[in-house]
Amino acid sequence: MTTIAELSLSTDEFALAETVQQLPALEVRVESVVAEGPVRTVPLVWFSNVDRTELEATLETDPTVDEYRRLLADTEAGDLFYRLTYTEAVASVCRCVYTHGGTVLDAQVSDGRWTLRLLFPHREELSTAVSDIEEQGVRIDVRRMVEAGQDEALETTAALTEPQREAIAEAYRQGYYDVPREISLEELANELDISHQALSERLRRANRVLAGEQLDDPTGEMATLD
């Protein structure tokens, strides 16, 4: 079933980190993404609250930007429209989305974080894409996720992805949460065939999701994973 998800990740681990850091008043909004081949894409980006000369000087030195080209300037609003080409480190994260059938609906930067709204034909493809991104050492949070055809009331801001669900369920079964622990994080990572860092981040986010659900609904009973 078609799934729309809102993901959040730090600019430090994705794109335009140096540009955002040097231009704190800058507003960034991705208008659309142009496909160049099956997995290579080029974002079309609006920049606001910035001088053109200052912006281009910063883009020139930003290690995540390979090329840039100004397409349009809205002199009335003071907005600048650019076509960007990212370096391989950023492009490889993007490929995790596109190779699993994902589409970028929109993206923007706020408070040093990217918020991406993505569409996937199936929820499983979203989960696989998130897992692949995590394997590259990028910390990513799934803020919202809703499947087409569901009632809006069923939308949740605290939905576990399948990799997170698998990790926390296996950790529970293997005694990771017992006192004392029956299995170490390293051993559990080997069991799941993922890196120590990826598992640590996955469990941290899953635990935060479950804790958030209990805080949002204090009358609810704590769920257990069998």
Side-chain angles (χ1 to χ4, degrees), residues 8-221:
S8 173
L9 60 161
S10 172
T11 55
D12 291 339
E13 296 180 322
F14 189 44
L16 300 177
E18 187 170 309
T19 298
V20 171
Q21 184 177 11
Q22 292 191 28
L23 305 172
L26 180 68
E27 294 182 6
V28 182
R29 177 172 57 87
V30 176
E31 178 74 15
S32 61
V33 179
V34 178
E36 290 189 347
V39 294
R40 187 171 185 269
T41 57
V42 180
L44 304 180
V45 185
W46 281 104
F47 294 100
S48 306
N49 294 337
V50 67
D51 174 76
R52 173 189 169 187
T53 302
E54 190 176 15
L55 172 63
E56 293 187 354
T58 308
L59 291 175
E60 192 71 38
T61 60
D62 193 313
T64 65
V65 178
D66 191 22
E67 296 178 0
Y68 64 88
R69 178 184 177 188
R70 185 171 63 90
L71 302 179
L72 180 68
D74 187 338
T75 54
E76 222 174 275
D79 296 339
L80 300 167
F81 193 42
Y82 283 77
R83 174 188 174 113
L84 302 182
T85 302
Y86 291 133
T87 52
E88 177 57 27
V90 175
S92 63
V93 173
C94 296
R95 279 198 294 272
C96 294
V97 174
Y98 303 122
T99 55
H100 295 293
T103 300
V104 178
L105 299 178
D106 56 62
Q108 58 186 334
V109 174
S110 178
D111 298 325
R113 296 192 66 82
W114 278 96
T115 298
L116 312 177
R117 198 161 62 96
L118 309 176
L119 181 147
F120 284 84
H122 303 285
R123 177 172 173 170
E124 293 77 12
E125 292 164 327
L126 163 64
S127 297
T128 303
V130 169
S131 180
D132 286 354
I133 292 172
E134 290 177 332
E135 288 291 347
Q136 297 191 36
V138 176
R139 291 166 293 185
I140 188 166
D141 291 324
V142 180
R143 288 182 171 178
R144 310 175 69 187
M145 183 164 54
V146 61
E147 295 181 343
Q150 287 186 339
D151 187 275
E152 188 68 19
L154 296 180
E155 183 174 347
T156 176
T157 60
L160 292 176
T161 65
E162 288 305 318
Q164 290 169 356
R165 194 183 307 277
E166 177 191 13
I168 201 168
E170 190 64 23
Y172 183 86
R173 283 195 292 266
Q174 296 271 11
Y176 179 73
Y177 294 110
D178 292 353
V179 181
R181 285 178 174 166
E182 298 294 328
I183 189 171
S184 69
L185 189 66
E186 292 82 358
E187 292 170 331
L188 186 59
N190 289 333
E191 290 275 344
L192 295 171
D193 195 26
I194 60 176
S195 70
H196 171 279
Q197 180 181 357
L199 177 59
S200 176
E201 293 292 339
R202 201 170 293 177
L203 289 176
R204 179 183 63 82
R205 282 189 290 275
N207 289 332
R208 186 175 64 184
V209 165
L210 296 178
E213 287 179 343
Q214 297 306 311
L215 292 174
D216 290 339
D217 183 16
T219 61
E221 295 182 359

